[in-house]
Amino acid sequence: IDLRGAHLRGGLAIENSVVLSLAGFDSAQFDGPLVLHGTVFEQKATFRRGRFGASVEIVDCSFDEPEGASGGVSFADTRFAGPASFNWSRFASDVSFESSRFEGDASFLGLEAPGRANWRNVAFARDAEFRACRLGEVDFGDEKQMSVFAGLADFRGCTMRSLGLDYVDARGDVMLVNVRVDPGDLTMRNAVLRGLRSDFSGLQVAGRLEMEGAHVTAPHFRWSEVVGPLRRSDACRDEAPATEGAARCSDVVRPLQRRLEFLRQDDEAREASAMLADHVLRERLGRKDLPFTERVTLWFERCAWGWTTGYGTQLGRIGLLSLGTWLLLSS
């Protein structure tokens, strides 16, 4: 199939077929709908710089990777004027939507791509749904290639090897419910999530959770599910340098602790408060200009108050310490 640079004023439908040779749609313009249902592409397929004026349905299709080929399937710099659906399609390795624009709803339900999935510098003008996806390294950009979600960003039930949401501008709700990131990291550096609800319930991250500079207006989460990945992050790991200019763990944990208090998740808020207090002390101890006497005082506070009572948050420890002190003094 060679439609490179073609202008189709009507639609095109290919259903339940096998394409044995190359399929080229680069720079093609479709005024009508494109429908690819249940179709297998055994050789290379490319859709770069496509222009789709109506709906696109690439549903339950398989894109194989020919022997010796690399780069996967590319939809880079493509414009989708209508709704676009890639539901339940399977890519043998990589898929790229870099610098694409989705003017209508975008749907990637059950999408499979075990390699790299690239959505850098992508604009979603309406809802973007990724539920139940199975992906490898997922990348939504950085400070030079920022992606925008104007509507809902729904990743519920997805499994990924890593997920990069750095510098993302999410103006609608973000659903990361029951998302599993394994074995890699979830990064949200300098991301802005300003919807009415950003839900991280059931989030599992085997690696690090990086949130330096992130702003999340209304997060919903369980502290027990995020504390482990946070402790492994660059800012909060135990061996992280607590020096001026470095990312500070307290700046990450403080808004989360305040949010837990707002949600009246009191036990979790106390646990976050203990972690916050410990890192504030570590950051003060990391100052090179700290006087010796103040340094000794802070170390004593960390040992006597932090490690023994969890900075006043471990009620059981406080009770045992009080009982032990009473028994010692009364003997």
Side-chain angles (χ1 to χ4, degrees):
I1 301 176
D2 188 357
L3 291 174
R4 290 173 295 178
H7 184 179
L8 280 72
R9 301 187 182 281
L12 174 66
I14 302 175
E15 299 182 291
N16 302 316
S17 301
V18 177
V19 182
L20 298 175
S21 59
L22 300 178
F25 297 88
D26 293 343
S27 301
Q29 180 176 336
F30 291 81
D31 294 345
L34 172 66
V35 177
L36 303 177
H37 284 179
T39 297
V40 177
F41 294 86
E42 292 194 349
Q43 297 296 317
K44 195 76 171 178
T46 56
F47 299 81
R48 293 183 295 262
R49 299 177 301 279
R51 298 294 182 264
F52 298 96
S55 62
V56 173
E57 295 183 15
I58 302 178
V59 175
D60 195 26
C61 291
S62 293
F63 294 87
D64 296 337
E65 186 82 354
E67 185 176 353
S70 62
V73 179
S74 179
F75 294 85
D77 193 26
T78 297
R79 302 294 182 267
F80 300 90
S85 174
F86 299 84
N87 296 344
W88 313 110
S89 288
R90 297 164 296 279
F91 297 86
S93 59
D94 305 338
V95 62
S96 175
F97 293 89
E98 183 172 326
S99 300
S100 291
R101 300 290 181 268
F102 294 86
E103 299 299 329
D105 292 338
S107 182
F108 305 90
L109 305 182
L111 187 74
E112 294 184 19
R116 184 168 184 262
N118 180 354
W119 279 279
R120 297 170 67 88
N121 191 36
V122 172
F124 297 97
R126 299 187 62 176
D127 293 348
E129 299 183 274
F130 299 83
R131 292 194 304 275
C133 61
R134 299 292 181 267
L135 305 173
E137 292 80 25
V138 183
D139 185 2
F140 280 90
D142 54 22
E143 70 276 12
K144 295 181 179 179
Q145 290 185 302
M146 298 175 284
S147 290
V148 177
F149 293 91
L152 172 70
D154 190 352
F155 294 89
R156 285 177 290 176
C158 280
T159 297
M160 316 170 196
R161 288 208 301 273
S162 65
L163 173 58
L165 294 170
D166 297 338
Y167 290 87
V168 157
D169 181 1
R171 302 167 187 176
D173 293 348
V174 176
M175 298 287 109
L176 291 170
V177 177
N178 296 326
V179 166
R180 182 180 180 184
V181 181
D182 189 1
D185 306 328
L186 168 56
T187 63
M188 301 171 55
R189 299 181 185 91
N190 297 292
V192 179
L193 280 58
R194 41 183 163 155
L196 297 178
R197 185 180 183 91
S198 296
D199 201 333
F200 303 90
S201 304
L203 177 65
Q204 302 176 57
V205 181
R208 302 170 301 171
L209 175 58
E210 303 285 2
M211 297 185 66
E212 302 95 299
H215 173 78
V216 186
T217 300
H220 291 258
F221 61 99
R222 307 300 304 187
W223 179 249
S224 60
E225 294 168 348
V226 302
V227 61
L230 276 177
R231 289 190 186 278
R232 293 188 289 270
S233 68
D234 289 341
C236 296
R237 70 185 191 275
D238 289 340
E239 65 275 17
T243 57
E244 293 187 21
R248 298 196 304 177
C249 186
S250 59
D251 293 335
V252 176
V253 176
R254 185 174 286 108
L256 297 178
Q257 188 261 340
R258 290 173 178 169
R259 179 63 178 175
L260 289 169
E261 289 180 343
F262 176 81
L263 295 173
R264 299 187 183 279
Q265 296 171 218
D266 296 334
D267 291 341
E268 297 173 84
R270 282 192 289 269
E271 294 177 16
S273 177
M275 181 176 174
L276 175 61
D278 186 62
H279 279 278
V280 168
L281 272 178
R282 289 183 65 249
E283 289 160 8
R284 291 174 65 187
L285 286 167
R287 289 174 47 193
K288 295 181 180 180
D289 60 345
L290 192 69
F292 176 76
T293 54
E294 185 176 350
R295 186 179 301 276
V296 172
T297 302
L298 291 175
W299 269 113
F300 178 79
E301 180 181 346
R302 193 178 185 196
C303 297
W305 180 240
W307 294 345
T308 56
T309 70
Y311 299 94
T313 64
Q314 299 295 326
L315 302 182
R317 291 186 195 175
I318 295 173
L320 289 174
L321 183 63
S322 301
L323 178 61
T325 302
W326 178 80
L327 291 173
L328 181 63
L329 294 176
S330 63
S331 60

